[in-house]
């Protein structure tokens, strides 16, 4: 029962949990979120470009990613990336890719599909008159998007993008299936080494909760503020 | 605790005594008192925001109030021991926006509460429901859904739905103000007929023509207070308060 | 790329003895579907209750509902899976805990409970949004007819709210279906786990994952087709 909890296990492993585990988790989250948003914006623009081949390719990519479990995608890329790398540099044998790089590629490509749906909805929420007005001024499609539509759309999308980033932060725990040392992976390694599963997993849950809950409160406050500004 | 009084006493159907209500700091009803006797038609009017709809919703406890008492056919509304669903089952209400249940057919709208609340059989409820639809002239629409009817038709269904519970009194909350002008008449006709059949009615409305035709008394409200509570003719011919005079001149000018 | 493709691998017997690799994947598919359906039953029921609580006039009900949603939404699913599987039996009275651990198919029951409670938080948010989207007068109309609060919710508010939220509920159903794969970490032999074992046994990694991918895509298409049919069947004549 709870009375028998040994909290010293948690205390002793704090440097490892945060110094290695949480740093890994946060790095992966930050890089994959940045990459995912950039790539996702690209996908959204392709999808809205109206060029038949591009629109369909982007749609197919997004729909495919969204219909697959993240765990399967993690496995896919874990095995695929070495081959893709070899193909890219013209090598004969699959190249060696570090587990972190593999995870980063996976999360960037996977989350890009979800980010692109947010960006697409954001762009579509800008009245058509805005792009018509910009076109009338002689701007190209790229200029219309870059100078007129995206700056407005991005501002509206910030809360949703941040919420999706919180989801991404939680999702990174799935690198557990590759035995990587993210925050949960670190907790799990200590748990198994010392046989203290209860303490370590409860502590991990608590930390995730604290981070995600605090972040979601911040997003909500931001949302309230942008709602007023509009 | 007093025992519930027998239904057929000679007292008023609705007795409203010194009712006050606050939303937080804002007082929306200020010591309102009036009564509706059996078979009487009382029209409640006043500028928007005067508290007339709120007062009406206090009668069947859709809105809580903090002071005073309302008694409906011997049952005290603001009393913890009162079974509110049972009270409301005897008080019919018609809403400004009809509030028919969109997922149910017209007939099912009429039979839902009689079956669930009064425990009537499906067949019995349907028979009574079809009778009432005939009465409001909508027999042909029994198996349509509300979304397929015009606003005027929907409001007539809503009146029939309230009548299906065999209420002892009917409350109307601006029943025609959400309607296109050409549909107001068909709804008022049903209400006039209901009044002539002797139904006790409390009606919040801006339709002064209706008030002139069937009202026994007019209650005029402004800023949460009952300003005038007089016989119909007295209200229209010689309103005493300046506020009622202004209201009438504005509303009758058109 | 020098990778040796062998699409015939699916017909070869799997080292488990009982059948071919194809059979192995199909059994994984069956576990995925059964786990998804059972957990959805919990998620839908519990999520509706919690969602309704968040729309009641009672402060306590609201607070409990909000705490539930925040709790289950802010902890990663994988961590929740571990809490149910490794931690909960330890916190139960000793004999009960031991019995739970020795239960046959423990990973399945654990996954069903975990996914059910996790997805319920998401369903609750949708149910709440659906009820909030209804005109306030609908509840008043139900009450004015003498219906109790419970009757008003059951006969009036929920049937209309569910119709409104059918599309987001469909995507929560799909999320739940995909999330069953997280249960491979506690030993559930669902589709992704089976594709992974096939890869380990046969070394035909891309065939295994391609097959799993196609099966997931097919499941998605079936669910979407089903949801479209359902939407058409419950559509209200005249719209709302």
């Amino acid at each position: 029962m709870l009375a028998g909890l040994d909290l010293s296990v948690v205390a002793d492993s704090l440097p490892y949990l945060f110094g290695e585990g949480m740093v890994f988790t946060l790095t992966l989250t930050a890089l994959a979120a940045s990459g995912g948003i950039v790539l996702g914006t690209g996908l959204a623009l392709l999808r809205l470009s109206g060029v038949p081949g591009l629109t369909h390719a982007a749609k197919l990519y997004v729909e495919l990613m969204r219909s697959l479990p993240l765990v399967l995608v993690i496995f896919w890329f874990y095995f695929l990336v070495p081959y893709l790398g070899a193909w890219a540099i013209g090598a004969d044998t699959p190249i060696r890719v570090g587990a972190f790089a593999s995870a980063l590629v996976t999360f960037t490509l996977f989350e890009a599909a979800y980010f692109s749906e947010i960006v697409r909805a954001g762009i579509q929420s800008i009245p058509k008159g805005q792009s018509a007005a910009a076109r009338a001024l002689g701007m190209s499609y790229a200029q219309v998007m870059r100078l007129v539509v995206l700056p407005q759309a991005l501002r509206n999308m910030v809360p949703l993008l941040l919420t999706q980033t919180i989801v991404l932060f939680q999702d990174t725990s799935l690198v557990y299936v590759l035995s990587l040392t993210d925050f949960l992976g670190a907790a799990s390694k200590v748990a198994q080494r010392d046989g203290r599963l209860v303490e370590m997993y409860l502590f991990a849950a608590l930390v995730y909760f604290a981070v995600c809950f605090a972040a979601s409160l911040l997003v909500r406050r931001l949302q309230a503020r942008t709602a007023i500004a509009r | 605790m007093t025992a519930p009084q027998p239904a057929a006493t000679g007292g008023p159907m609705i007795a409203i005594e010194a009712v006050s209500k606050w939303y937080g700091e804002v007082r929306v009803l200020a010591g309102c008192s009036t009564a509706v006797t059996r078979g009487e038609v009382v029209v409640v009017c006043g500028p928007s925001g005067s508290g007339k709809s709120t007062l009406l919703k206090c009668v069947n406890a859709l809105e809580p109030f903090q002071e005073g008492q309302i008694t409906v056919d011997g049952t005290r509304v603001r009393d913890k021991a009162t079974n509110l669903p049972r009270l409301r089952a005897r008080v019919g209400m018609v809403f400004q926006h009809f509030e028919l249940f969109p997922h149910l057919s017209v007939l099912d709208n009429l039979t839902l509460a009689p079956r669930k609340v009064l425990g009537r059989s499906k067949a019995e409820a349907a028979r009574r429901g079809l009778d009432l639809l005939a009465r409001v002239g909508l027999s042909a629409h029994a198996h349509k859904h509300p979304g397929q009817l015009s606003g005027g038709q929907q409001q007539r269904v809503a009146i029939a739905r309230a009548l299906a519970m065999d209420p002892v009194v009917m409350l109307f909350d601006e029943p025609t103000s959400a309607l296109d002008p050409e549909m107001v008449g068909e709804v008022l006709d049903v209400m006039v007929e209901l009044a002539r059949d002797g139904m006790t009615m409390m009606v919040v409305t801006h339709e002064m023509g209706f008030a002139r035709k069937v009202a026994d008394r007019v209650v005029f409200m402004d800023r949460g207070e009952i300003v005038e509570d007089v016989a119909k003719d007295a209200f229209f011919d010689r309103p005493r308060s300046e506020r009622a005079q202004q209201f009438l001149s504005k509303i009758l000018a058109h | 790329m020098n990778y040796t493709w062998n699409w015939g691998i699916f017909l070869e017997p799997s080292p488990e003895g009982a059948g071919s690799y194809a059979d192995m994947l199909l059994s994984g598919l069956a576990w995925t579907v059964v786990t998804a359906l059972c957990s959805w039953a919990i998620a839908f029921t519990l999520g509706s209750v919690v969602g309704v609580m968040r729309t009641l006039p009672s402060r306590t009900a609201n607070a409990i509902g909000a705490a539930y949603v925040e709790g289950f939404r802010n902890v990663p699913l994988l961590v929740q899976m571990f809490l149910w599987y490794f931690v909960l039996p330890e916190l139960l009275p000793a004999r009960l805990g031991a019995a739970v651990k020795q239960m046959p198919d423990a990973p399945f029951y654990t996954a069903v409970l975990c996914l059910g409670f996790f997805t319920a938080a998401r369903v609750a948010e949708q149910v709440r949004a659906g009820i909030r989207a209804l005109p306030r007068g609908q509840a008043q109309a139900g009450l004015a007819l003498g219906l109790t609060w419970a009757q008003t919710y059951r006969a009036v508010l929920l049937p209309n709210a569910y119709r409104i939220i059918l599309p987001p509920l469909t995507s929560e159903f799909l999320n739940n279906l995909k999330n069953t794969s997280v249960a491979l970490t506690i030993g559930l032999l669902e589709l992704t786990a089976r594709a992974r074992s096939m890869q380990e046994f046969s070394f035909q990694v891309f065939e295994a994952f391609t097959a799993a991918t196609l099966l997931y895509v097919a499941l998605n298409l079936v669910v979407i087709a089903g949801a479209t049919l359902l939407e058409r069947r419950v559509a209200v004549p005249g719209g709302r």
Side-chain angles (χ1 to χ4, degrees):
Chain A
M1 291 295 295
L2 284 173
L5 288 188
D6 177 7
L7 293 179
S8 68
V9 170
V10 175
D12 290 346
S13 55
L14 284 180
Y16 175 61
L17 288 178
F18 287 91
E20 270 193 48
M22 190 51 96
V23 167
F24 180 103
T25 295
L26 289 175
T27 314
L28 181 57
T29 303
L31 292 178
S34 324
I37 288 173
V38 171
L39 194 59
T41 307
L43 281 168
L45 290 177
L46 286 183
R47 204 164 163 185
L48 295 171
S49 67
V51 182
L54 296 180
T55 303
H56 289 128
K59 181 173 177 199
L60 188 69
Y61 177 83
V62 170
E63 296 299 329
L64 178 65
M65 279 300 170
R66 280 166 25 106
S67 62
L68 296 182
L70 177 52
V71 178
L72 179 64
V73 178
I74 290 175
F75 286 141
W76 252 121
F77 282 109
Y78 183 70
F79 292 101
L80 194 58
V81 168
Y83 284 94
L84 289 180
W87 173 74
I89 61 170
D92 290 340
T93 51
I95 58 166
R96 289 177 57 88
V97 177
F100 179 80
S102 164
L104 181 57
V105 170
T106 306
F107 279 90
T108 305
L109 293 176
F110 183 79
E111 297 292 336
Y114 288 83
F115 281 123
S116 91
E117 288 294 275
I118 296 172
V119 175
R120 186 166 70 104
I123 291 176
Q124 283 175 331
S125 74
I126 303 298
K128 285 234 170 1
Q130 287 289 308
S131 51
R135 286 266 190 190
L137 292 169
M139 292 188 197
S140 68
Y141 175 74
Q143 286 173 317
V144 172
M145 281 295 166
R146 193 163 48 84
L147 301 174
V148 179
V149 176
L150 276 179
Q152 299 183 56
L154 275 168
R155 230 179 55 127
N156 299 346
M157 290 181 303
V158 168
L160 284 176
L161 292 175
L162 289 176
T163 302
Q164 184 62 32
T165 303
I166 299 174
V167 172
L168 168 60
F169 172 75
Q170 295 189 15
D171 280 350
T172 56
S173 63
L174 288 173
V175 298
Y176 172 88
V177 301
L178 298 180
S179 305
L180 294 185
T181 310
D182 72 321
F183 182 68
L184 179 63
S188 169
K189 277 168 192 165
V190 174
Q192 267 148 33
R193 185 195 65 201
D194 298 351
R196 313 297 319 189
L197 273 62
V198 175
E199 290 85 348
M200 294 312 292
Y201 287 144
L202 279 177
F203 179 70
L206 211 64
V207 170
Y208 275 111
F209 176 82
V211 173
C212 296
F213 185 60
S216 67
L217 286 185
L218 284 177
V219 172
R220 237 174 279 173
R221 192 182 294 179
L222 184 75
Q223 212 162 10
R225 208 184 305 160
T226 45
I228 293 165
R230 245 184 289 156
Chain B
M1 257 314 304
T2 52
Q5 296 157 25
T9 53
M13 183 65 82
I14 301 173
I16 299 175
E17 295 160 277
V19 167
S20 292
K21 176 181 171 67
W22 286 262
Y23 284 127
E25 296 286 297
V26 186
R27 190 162 72 166
V28 288
L29 292 177
C32 296
S33 295
T34 185
V36 181
T37 56
R38 259 153 246 281
E40 198 179 24
V41 175
V42 172
V43 162
V44 183
C45 61
S48 59
S50 58
K52 49 198 194 305
S53 286
T54 307
L55 181 64
L56 192 77
K57 285 180 175 170
C58 286
V59 172
N60 61 353
L62 287 183
E63 293 278 359
F65 52 95
Q66 288 80 28
E67 272 180 20
Q69 187 58 275
I70 296 180
T71 313
V72 179
D73 201 20
T75 306
R76 288 137 72 85
V77 172
R78 196 163 76 90
D79 187 333
K80 283 221 158 63
T82 296
N83 180 331
L84 285 180
R86 195 178 301 166
L87 168 78
R88 288 169 180 149
R90 307 180 62 225
V91 179
M93 182 157 211
V94 175
F95 294 84
Q96 182 178 358
H97 295 286
F98 332 135
E99 304 300 352
L100 293 178
F101 305 135
H103 62 302
L104 299 179
S105 72
V106 165
L107 186 58
D108 287 344
N109 262 280
L110 267 65
T111 60
L112 176 73
R115 288 169 59 195
K116 298 238 173 203
V117 179
L118 304 178
R120 287 185 188 155
S121 72
K122 195 172 176 177
E124 191 188 351
R127 189 156 33 77
R128 175 97 176 100
L130 288 171
D131 281 351
L132 285 164
L133 283 180
R135 192 164 153 193
V136 298
L138 291 171
S139 297
H141 302 284
H143 299 290
K144 287 189 181 167
H145 278 69
Q148 297 168 298
L149 302 184
S150 73
Q153 290 171 327
Q154 289 192 50
Q155 194 61 301
R156 281 146 67 197
V157 172
I159 295 173
R161 177 176 72 177
L163 292 174
M165 297 294 286
D166 294 323
V168 294
V169 56
M170 288 280 285
L171 309 176
F172 292 84
D173 183 13
E174 307 206 26
T176 57
S177 38
L179 293 174
D180 290 335
E182 73 271 21
M183 293 172 183
V184 170
E186 62 188 83
V187 171
L188 290 180
D189 287 347
V190 170
M191 291 169 62
V192 169
E193 203 176 306
L194 201 56
R196 296 213 165 122
D197 288 348
M199 175 60 78
T200 311
M201 294 163 64
M202 186 167 171
V203 184
V204 171
T205 186
H206 293 293
E207 295 293 335
M208 290 302 119
F210 171 81
R212 270 188 196 277
K213 204 184 225 172
V214 294
D216 296 299
R217 276 196 2 266
V218 174
V219 169
F220 174 74
M221 291 183 71
D222 191 21
R223 284 174 235 159
E225 293 174 351
I226 292 181
V227 180
E228 301 217 15
D229 181 359
V230 294
K232 165 185 62 181
D233 293 337
F235 181 73
F236 285 112
D237 298 343
R238 33 182 198 288
R240 277 169 303 178
S241 66
E242 202 176 307
R243 286 190 266 180
Q245 287 164 14
Q246 280 174 359
F247 175 76
L248 276 176
S249 70
K250 266 186 212 156
I251 228 169
L252 297 178
H254 302 290
Chain C
M1 275 204 288
N2 54 356
Y3 174 80
T4 318
W5 294 92
N6 174 15
W7 291 103
I9 186 74
F10 295 109
L11 300 177
E12 289 174 23
S14 81
E16 288 181 335
S20 63
Y21 280 116
D23 293 330
M24 196 166 126
L25 288 182
L26 288 178
S27 116
L29 178 70
W31 278 109
T32 291
V33 170
V34 172
T35 309
L37 289 177
C38 293
S39 53
W40 181 256
I42 296 178
F44 184 74
T45 316
L46 183 61
S48 296
V49 172
V50 175
V52 164
M53 283 172 79
R54 298 201 71 187
T55 63
L56 290 176
S58 146
R59 246 167 216 242
T60 327
N62 248 293
I64 295 173
Y68 182 93
V69 170
E70 295 301 345
F72 282 88
R73 203 168 49 175
N74 285 312
V75 175
L77 176 59
L78 179 57
V79 177
Q80 294 189 31
M81 204 63 89
F82 286 172
L83 291 182
W84 284 93
Y85 194 68
F86 297 117
V87 177
L88 185 68
E90 304 296 332
L91 300 181
L92 294 172
R95 278 182 47 204
L96 185 58
V100 169
K101 275 193 254 181
Q102 282 152 19
M103 211 169 39
D105 293 327
F108 168 70
Y109 294 111
T110 309
V112 165
L113 283 175
C114 175
L115 287 166
F117 277 72
F118 175 81
T119 308
R122 294 156 172 281
V123 171
E125 284 299 271
Q126 300 299 345
V127 168
R128 175 172 82 128
I131 292 172
R132 287 269 175 88
L134 299 174
R136 234 172 70 94
Q138 286 282 301
Q140 291 196 337
L143 295 175
L145 284 166
L147 298 177
T148 60
W149 273 105
Q151 287 173 322
T152 303
Y153 269 95
R154 218 171 40 227
V156 179
L157 301 182
L158 282 174
N160 284 303
Y162 285 141
R163 281 179 170 82
I164 296 177
I165 62 171
L166 197 55
L169 276 189
T170 305
S171 65
E172 288 307 340
F173 183 90
L174 286 171
N175 285 338
N176 183 57
L177 180 80
K178 289 181 278 172
N179 282 338
T180 55
S181 65
V182 174
L184 70 78
T185 56
I186 58 167
L188 183 71
L189 297 178
E190 48 67 63
L191 183 51
T192 303
R194 298 316 257 164
R196 179 98 164 100
S197 2
M198 177 173 166
Q199 165 257 319
E200 277 172 348
F201 292 139
S202 71
F203 300 105
Q204 298 306 130
V205 44
F206 296 126
E207 290 86 341
F209 290 162
T210 303
T213 299
L214 291 176
L215 288 173
Y216 277 114
V217 169
L219 274 182
N220 271 268
L221 294 177
V222 168
V223 170
I224 289 168
T228 312
L229 275 181
L230 182 64
E231 213 164 323
R232 220 172 287 161
R233 253 194 63 186
V234 301
V236 170
R240 2 177 339 112

